[in-house]
Amino acid sequence: MGELAIITGASRGIGAAIAKKLAQDGYDVVLNCVSNVAKAEAVAEECRAFGVTAVAKAWDVADYDACKTALAEIKKELGVPAVLVNNAGITRDGLLIRMKPEQFDAVISANLKGCFNMLSLVSAMMVRAKRGRIVNIASVTGLHGNAGQVNYAAAKAGVIGMTKTAAKELGARGITVNAIAPGFIETDMTDVLSDEIKEGANKQIPLGHFGKPEDIAGAAAFLASDSASYVTGQVLVVDGGLAM
């Protein structure tokens, strides 16, 4: 077996692309999803085409105990992960003055607390191994804000702060912690945008088009690799120049 990578929210979009890229690079992969195991399993099957072990597992990253149980099973079956990619997340958009508390809480729970749960539990495993790579998927929204996404912006800004703090705490143990801040990427989340909004966004992007999940996967693979062994506490913006 090769080294093990865990990717949360890996049944589709960015998470699926990262799982396939890491499998292509020779990692055994665990693909987390909340409930759609069939979809995650289909991605796992694509990963196996690269000759690696790929397992789809369902658990809610926002549930600490569920994370603890899942990771104990993974350790017993596959070993200690060398790489963790915290990608799982949701959106519940709405203007600040109209946003309901449950919309805010749901996004903070999935996007921020879920990242904390996995980060804290997996880093403890990595500390004992004295090595590891952690990549948190943030967003340019967490850096610059975005109207209608106060909950998402707060969560992703929190992920960035957590990334930098964890990098300072874990660096002496040989563990790097970095974040990627995607801009507009072609996923299910952006597919629901109107053509008018997409056209307006493209005009603001110097490269003139949305990115693809594979663009984020390439960045994640770099941060997980030996080539990034001296990179930690950084936020790699992958947005076509949008946030310049």
Side-chain angles (χ1 to χ4, degrees), residues 38-225:
K39 205 165 184 179
E41 176 58 33
V43 179
E45 187 62 29
E46 292 185 67
C47 292
R48 293 184 198 111
F50 296 108
V52 302
T53 299
V55 178
K57 282 185 174 288
W59 77 89
D60 183 359
V61 296
D63 183 333
Y64 184 86
D65 289 337
C67 291
K68 195 171 182 179
T69 299
L71 288 168
E73 292 174 357
I74 291 166
K75 182 181 178 181
K76 183 178 180 180
E77 295 168 9
L78 299 166
V80 174
V83 176
L84 168 66
V85 181
N86 282 311
N87 168 74
I90 62 172
T91 56
R92 297 289 186 271
D93 295 351
L95 294 175
L96 172 62
I97 60 174
R98 296 174 186 165
M99 183 171 289
K100 299 184 185 307
E102 52 266 30
Q103 287 175 276
F104 186 86
D105 292 346
V107 171
I108 294 297
S109 181
N111 298 24
L112 184 57
K113 185 172 183 289
C115 182
F116 163 77
N117 289 342
M118 291 297 294
L119 179 62
S120 62
L121 290 166
V122 173
S123 65
M125 298 166 73
M126 290 177 170
V127 161
R128 287 189 287 273
K130 296 183 179 178
R131 63 190 297 270
R133 300 275 187 271
I134 297 171
V135 181
N136 298 322
I137 306 302
S139 170
V140 292
T141 299
L143 290 168
H144 304 286
N146 191 39
Q149 289 193 311
V150 68
N151 48 3
Y152 190 76
K156 293 303 188 179
V159 167
I160 290 169
M162 195 154 46
T163 297
K164 292 180 176 293
T165 301
K168 290 184 176 182
E169 292 185 7
L170 300 172
R173 302 302 181 97
I175 301 166
T176 65
V177 189
N178 293 287
I180 298 171
F184 284 103
I185 306 297
E186 293 176 1
T187 65
D188 291 350
M189 284 187 181
T190 57
D191 283 346
V192 300
L193 299 175
S194 68
D195 289 341
E196 184 180 1
I197 291 176
K198 289 179 181 178
E199 288 173 11
N202 281 334
K203 289 177 182 177
Q204 299 176 54
I205 300 170
L207 289 182
H209 60 85
F210 282 19
K212 296 184 180 300
E214 290 74 18
D215 295 319
I216 309 304
F222 164 69
L223 292 173
S225 74

